[in-house]
């Protein structure tokens, strides 16, 4: 396969809150020019990346139309690498890209709104183009036999078509991620075309690939949601903790340097500067390998690869082993009598050093926990440094830290044990009961979808080694809860959800977990339309049957929010009995119509 692996630009992490503020070493112009990008990449990869970007911006255009534009941009980029450069070559690459789009007369004809966008100056012009992207396309895929024939005769055409379809269907997905998926698609096609049952192979493998695509997109959206909703210090603190987790060897100075560089390219990616985003990611890979001996014992294998493959390898690299010297207790933040003086001298840097120290030592703890501990340590110093004997006041910090960690591990074990004991479906129902009571205002479909994802997270994370469970669970749950907070921002749910969503990012997951039932919720009256049972449940598949049962469970709790767990179980059992009875009756629907009021009356008697 000729296509080179490209990166998924996401640092696999979630974001945390801290008041740690870092400054860039110098305020310099970081804009990249088109020659920089062209020189970093092969011509083939440059054209693939350009095709992805134009497909995202001009979604109605055919592949043939866009290929002409891609070739024009490629020829111009190539000319900028020579001696006969024009002044246009010195423009920022993002500006140049939209200049090319706006200069194409077909763009104005096919996209009426583009005239308004092209009348603006950057960055408003780029934002205008992004605002007009639509998400209603469905991918057009050839049948397996056609795919294999095209792959055999014209593999480049097949891969270009995949880039075009994937990009226009996912207009906010990082273009380098589109190319990563294209490379994986090429391997998929190569494999399935050798299989006897091609239809089955393509169905299974494409499902896996699309799941990967959605995972990348979800993480990207979450990452940018944090960038757009929190102060910059949040993402900087997260990246410091993440760098310290992955690379425990380097000192604070080097960890801080990489924190700054990572933060800058992430902001560019989230603000739509895709070419600069790509360039900076590749530059970061080069800088990482320049410091490989200082950073990690595991980087050697990545740094021996070609640039683009190297980048993907670095992004997915596992954490380095914690150096033996870090096994000693951290004493400088709780046993040093001069802690308050150092804290007062530069609070942000001192807290940054604390975060770096605990993160590099405790890879078994989640980023959320570590950032929360930094906040708590800050509060401890603010209190203790006002007392007559600060060292006596803050000496219990390490014990408090470990006690809280033990509570988190115990809670995690409790839930993993419940999942293994009851199975995913019953565990999901337990979550459904909890979260319906916490936010009964949310739609049935959203609650069922959310708890299904929670159960999936549990199934995945409870299976990893214990030292990786907390980072896995809390990272994924925080991302899922952030989706609910985004929903809350657009459509108010209730006061307690609003409180958790406006609280610190690092405490968002623990805040949601601690929520009780919404005491201000007023349940709706039960009417004939509240519960709807029909004979579809008798003929549908097992998965859909489970969904119907869960809808009954959600509606039951919404009309009876104070019903005890044992009574909920009793009503659910009676519902299942009714289904079994009616599905064996001669007239299914008649049976459901007769049994429905009996079931509802029985359940209402159990409600306090």
């Amino acid at each position: 396969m000729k296509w080179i692996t490209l990166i998924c630009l996401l640092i696999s992490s979630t974001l945390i809150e801290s008041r740690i503020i870092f400054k860039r070493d110098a305020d310099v112009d970081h804009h990249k020019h088109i020659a920089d990008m062209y020189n970093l990449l092969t011509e083939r990869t440059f054209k693939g990346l350009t095709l992805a970007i134009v497909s995202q911006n001009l979604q109605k255009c055919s592949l043939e139309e866009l290929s002409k534009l891609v070739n024009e941009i490629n020829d111009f980029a190539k000319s900028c690498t020579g001696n006969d450069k024009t002044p246009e070559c010195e423009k920022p690459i993002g500006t140049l890209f939209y200049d090319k789009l706006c200069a194409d007369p077909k763009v104005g004809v096919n996209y009426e709104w583009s005239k308004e966008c092209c009348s603006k100056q950057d960055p408003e012009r780029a934002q205008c183009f992004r605002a007009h992207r639509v998400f209603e396309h469905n991918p057009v895929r050839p049948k397996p036999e056609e795919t294999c024939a095209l792959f055999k005769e014209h593999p480049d055409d097949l891969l270009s078509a995949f880039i075009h379809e994937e990009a226009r269907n996912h207009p906010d997905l990082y273009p380098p991620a589109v190319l990563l998926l294209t490379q994986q698609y090429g391997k998929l096609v190569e494999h399935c075309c050798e299989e006897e049952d091609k239809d089955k192979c393509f169905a299974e493998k494409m499902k896996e690939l699309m799941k990967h695509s959605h995972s990348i997109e979800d993480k990207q959206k979450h990452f940018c949601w944090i960038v757009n909703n929190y102060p910059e210090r949040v993402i900087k603190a997260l990246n410091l903790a993440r760098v310290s987790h992955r690379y425990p060897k380097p000192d604070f100075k080097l960890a801080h340097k990489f924190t700054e560089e990572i933060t800058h390219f992430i902001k560019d990616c989230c603000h739509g500067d895709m070419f600069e985003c790509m360039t900076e990611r590749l530059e970061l890979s080069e800088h990482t390998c320049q410091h490989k001996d200082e950073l990690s014992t595991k980087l050697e294998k990545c740094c021996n690869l070609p640039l683009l493959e190297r980048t993907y390898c670095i992004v997915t690299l596992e954490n380095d082993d914690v150096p033996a010297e870090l096994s000693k207790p951290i004493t400088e933040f709780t046993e040093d009598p001069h802690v308050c003086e150092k804290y007062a001298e530069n609070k942000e840097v001192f807290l940054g050093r604390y975060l770096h120290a605990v993160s590099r030592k405790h890879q078994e703890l989640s980023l959320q926990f570590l950032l929360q501990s930094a906040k708590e340590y800050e509060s401890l110093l603010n209190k203790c440094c006002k007392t007559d004997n600060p060292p006596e006041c803050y000496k219990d910090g390490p014990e408090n830290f470990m006690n809280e960690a033990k509570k988190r591990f115990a809670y995690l074990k409790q839930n993993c044990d419940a999942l293994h004991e009851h199975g995913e479906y019953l565990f999901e129902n337990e979550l459904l009961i909890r979260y319906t009571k916490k936010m009964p205002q949310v739609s049935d479909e959203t609650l069922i979808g959310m708890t299904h994802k929670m159960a999936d997270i549990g199934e995945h994370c409870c299976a990893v080694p214990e030292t990786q469970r907390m980072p896995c669970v809390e990272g994924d749950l925080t991302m899922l809860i952030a989706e609910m907070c985004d929903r809350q921002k657009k459509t108010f749910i209730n006061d307690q959800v609003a409180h958790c969503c406006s609280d610190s990012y690092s405490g968002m997951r623990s805040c949601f977990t601690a929520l009780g039932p919404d005491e201000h919720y007023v349940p709706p009256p039960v009417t004939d339309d509240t519960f709807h049972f029909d004979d579809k449940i008798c003929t549908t598949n097992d998965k859909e049957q489970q969904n119907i049962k869960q809808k009954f469970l959600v509606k039951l709790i919404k009309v009876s929010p104070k019903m005890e767990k044992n009574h909920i179980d009793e009503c659910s059992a009676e519902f299942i009995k009714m289904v079994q009875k009616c599905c064996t009756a001669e007239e299914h629907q008649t049976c459901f119509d007769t049994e429905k009021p009996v079931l509802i009356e029985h359940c209402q008697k159990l409600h306090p």
Side-chain angles (χ1 to χ4, degrees):
M1 188 58 55
K2 294 182 180 179
W3 282 83
I4 301 174
T5 305
L6 273 177
I7 60 169
C8 164
L9 290 172
L10 303 171
I11 297 294
S12 179
S13 55
T14 51
L15 304 177
I16 51 177
E17 181 174 36
S18 171
R19 290 181 60 201
I20 304 161
I21 301 173
F22 302 111
K23 295 181 179 178
R24 292 185 67 80
D25 294 332
D27 291 323
V28 296
D29 181 10
H30 291 279
H31 285 301
K32 304 299 182 297
H33 301 119
I34 197 165
D36 300 325
M37 173 65 72
Y38 194 85
N39 287 330
L40 273 171
L41 306 171
T42 64
E43 178 175 308
R44 187 183 190 82
T45 305
F46 179 87
K47 291 174 76 172
L49 184 64
T50 305
L51 174 60
I53 295 175
V54 295
S55 299
Q56 289 177 328
N57 283 278
L58 305 175
Q59 292 165 282
K60 292 191 296 183
C61 288
S62 67
L63 176 59
E64 290 72 24
E65 290 173 316
L66 293 181
S67 294
K68 295 176 183 177
L69 182 58
V70 168
N71 287 331
E72 288 176 16
I73 294 174
N74 180 75
D75 291 344
F76 177 79
K78 187 186 296 186
S79 71
C80 290
T81 63
N83 296 324
D84 299 328
K85 294 181 181 179
T86 67
E88 275 197 315
C89 293
E90 301 304 313
K91 290 183 178 180
I93 192 167
T95 299
L96 182 59
F97 172 74
Y98 285 105
D99 282 352
K100 293 294 181 185
L101 291 193
C102 290
D104 190 327
K106 289 183 180 179
V107 172
V109 173
N110 293 329
Y111 304 90
E112 186 66 30
W113 50 262
S114 68
K115 297 175 183 177
E116 178 192 351
C117 294
C118 292
S119 67
K120 299 178 183 291
Q121 298 296 314
D122 288 325
E124 287 77 15
R125 179 173 60 169
Q127 291 167 355
C128 182
F129 267 89
R130 287 171 62 84
H132 283 88
R133 294 175 181 179
V134 294
F135 299 83
E136 298 176 356
H137 297 288
N138 293 312
V140 178
R141 309 273 188 231
K143 294 180 180 180
E145 291 295 341
E146 296 172 7
T147 298
C148 293
L150 184 57
F151 182 71
K152 184 177 181 180
E153 298 295 328
H154 304 287
D156 288 356
D157 291 349
L158 179 68
L159 296 179
S160 293
F162 182 86
I163 291 174
H164 178 236
E165 286 296 317
E166 186 69 11
R168 67 199 290 265
N169 278 280
H170 301 275
D172 281 344
L173 186 62
Y174 293 152
V178 174
L179 297 196
L180 168 67
L181 293 166
T182 303
Q183 186 265 347
Q184 294 174 344
Y185 173 70
K187 290 182 178 180
L188 178 159
V189 173
E190 192 170 27
H191 168 73
C192 287
C193 288
E194 297 295 324
E195 293 293 303
E196 186 174 339
D197 192 342
K198 294 179 176 58
D199 289 349
K200 181 181 178 182
C201 182
F202 271 97
E204 292 176 351
K205 296 296 183 182
M206 283 301 295
K207 184 177 179 180
E208 291 176 12
L209 184 64
M210 290 303 100
K211 186 176 180 180
H212 186 200
S213 173
H214 291 310
S215 175
I216 292 173
E217 194 166 29
D218 288 346
K219 288 177 182 177
Q220 175 189 319
K221 286 178 180 177
H222 172 73
F223 212 54
C224 294
W225 180 77
I226 298 299
V227 169
N228 294 329
N229 286 276
Y230 287 85
E232 188 173 309
R233 62 178 179 266
V234 177
I235 189 173
K236 287 186 175 181
L238 163 80
N239 287 327
L240 175 61
R242 186 68 189 93
V243 167
S244 305
H245 239 191
R246 178 167 290 187
Y247 305 131
K249 280 176 61 177
D251 59 13
F252 174 71
K253 183 178 180 180
L254 186 58
H256 168 248
K257 170 183 167 60
F258 277 90
T259 295
E260 285 290 318
E261 196 166 354
I262 290 169
T263 299
H264 189 260
F265 95 75
I266 286 173
K267 285 173 59 184
D268 277 348
C269 295
C270 290
H271 293 155
D273 299 331
M274 293 305 177
F275 279 107
E276 292 210 13
C277 169
M278 177 65 176
T279 307
E280 289 168 14
R281 174 67 260 187
L282 297 175
E283 288 176 347
L284 177 61
S285 296
E286 289 187 289
H287 298 163
T288 299
C289 288
Q290 288 168 4
H291 293 276
K292 67 179 187 297
D293 295 332
E294 300 166 75
L295 289 172
S296 172
T297 60
K298 300 182 179 182
L299 274 169
E300 184 73 30
K301 64 179 181 181
C302 296
C303 295
N304 289 332
L305 296 170
L307 179 59
L308 295 176
E309 294 177 63
R310 178 196 315 169
T311 300
Y312 181 62
C313 179
I314 291 171
V315 169
T316 56
L317 189 70
E318 62 182 357
N319 293 343
D320 195 16
D321 300 327
V322 178
E325 61 267 23
L326 295 183
S327 62
K328 300 176 183 178
I330 302 172
T331 59
E332 63 179 297
F333 301 101
T334 52
E335 295 183 18
D336 184 346
H338 303 293
V339 162
C340 289
E341 290 93 319
K342 293 177 180 178
Y343 177 56
E345 183 179 344
N346 194 324
K347 292 184 178 182
E348 286 76 21
V349 171
F350 189 75
L351 290 172
R353 290 184 180 279
Y354 170 84
L355 180 58
H356 171 249
V358 295
S359 299
R360 69 202 293 232
K361 180 179 174 64
H362 293 286
Q363 293 178 337
E364 77 282 5
L365 300 176
S366 69
L367 298 179
Q368 290 72 27
F369 178 89
L370 291 165
L371 266 291
Q372 215 164 359
S373 78
K375 284 189 65 186
E376 289 168 5
Y377 178 65
E378 179 186 21
S379 298
L380 180 69
L381 292 187
N382 287 337
K383 180 184 75 172
C384 293
C385 292
K386 295 175 183 177
T387 65
D388 295 334
N389 190 352
E392 179 64 25
C393 177
Y394 56 64
K395 68 179 177 61
D396 294 330
E399 184 179 353
N400 296 337
F401 176 90
M402 293 313 299
N403 285 340
E404 182 57 34
K406 288 176 183 177
K407 289 180 184 177
R408 295 277 185 105
F409 282 123
Y411 182 76
L412 181 56
K413 184 179 185 303
Q414 176 187 343
N415 278 277
C416 285
D417 288 347
L419 175 59
H420 292 148
E421 181 181 349
H422 302 300
E424 186 170 352
Y425 175 65
L426 292 180
F427 180 71
E428 190 175 319
N429 288 348
E430 292 295 319
L431 293 173
L432 199 53
I433 294 170
R434 285 186 224 168
Y435 279 87
T436 302
K437 290 189 173 189
K438 292 178 184 189
M439 41 189 185
Q441 299 86 354
V442 176
S443 71
D444 302 355
E445 291 77 12
T446 299
L447 284 165
I448 291 170
M450 180 181 182
T451 52
H452 180 69
K453 289 179 181 178
M454 286 182 169
D456 280 350
I457 289 170
E459 190 74 22
H460 166 65
C461 293
C462 290
V464 304
E466 286 190 21
T467 54
Q468 299 173 22
R469 282 185 189 173
M470 190 195 293
C472 179
V473 168
E474 295 202 353
D476 287 357
L477 283 180
T478 299
M479 187 170 72
L480 181 59
I481 290 168
E483 289 180 20
M484 185 55 63
C485 287
D486 194 38
R487 197 180 296 267
Q488 152 77 24
K489 191 174 181 181
K490 297 169 184 173
T491 305
F492 183 77
I493 298 174
N494 61 42
D495 289 335
Q496 61 177 8
V497 170
H499 165 71
C500 287
C501 292
S502 60
D503 199 6
S504 67
Y505 181 84
S506 59
M508 189 165 57
R509 196 282 309 161
S510 54
C511 182
F512 262 82
T513 299
L515 285 181
D518 181 7
E519 298 297 337
H520 301 291
Y521 173 69
V522 178
V526 178
T527 68
D528 289 341
D529 296 328
T530 302
F531 296 94
H532 176 69
F533 308 132
D534 60 41
D535 59 359
K536 184 174 69 173
I537 193 173
C538 300
T539 56
T540 191
N541 58 44
D542 290 345
K543 185 176 180 181
E544 184 58 32
Q545 280 190 6
Q546 289 179 344
N547 185 261
I548 292 172
K549 292 172 185 176
Q550 288 181 331
K551 285 182 179 179
F552 169 77
L553 182 60
V554 171
K555 288 189 182 297
L556 176 66
I557 297 168
K558 286 186 174 184
V559 298
S560 308
K562 294 184 179 180
M563 185 178 283
E564 297 293 335
K565 175 65 168 60
N566 60 320
H567 291 152
I568 293 172
D569 291 343
E570 184 178 337
C571 281
S572 297
E574 290 299 317
F575 170 73
I576 292 172
K577 286 180 184 178
M578 180 193 71
V579 171
Q580 291 172 340
K581 178 181 178 179
C582 291
C583 287
T584 56
E586 192 169 323
E587 294 290 338
H588 296 170
Q589 192 58 53
T590 302
C591 177
F592 279 119
D593 293 341
T594 302
E595 295 295 326
K596 172 182 169 179
V598 178
L599 174 66
I600 302 306
E601 183 181 1
H602 178 82
C603 292
Q604 284 183 310
K605 288 179 180 178
L606 300 175
H607 186 248

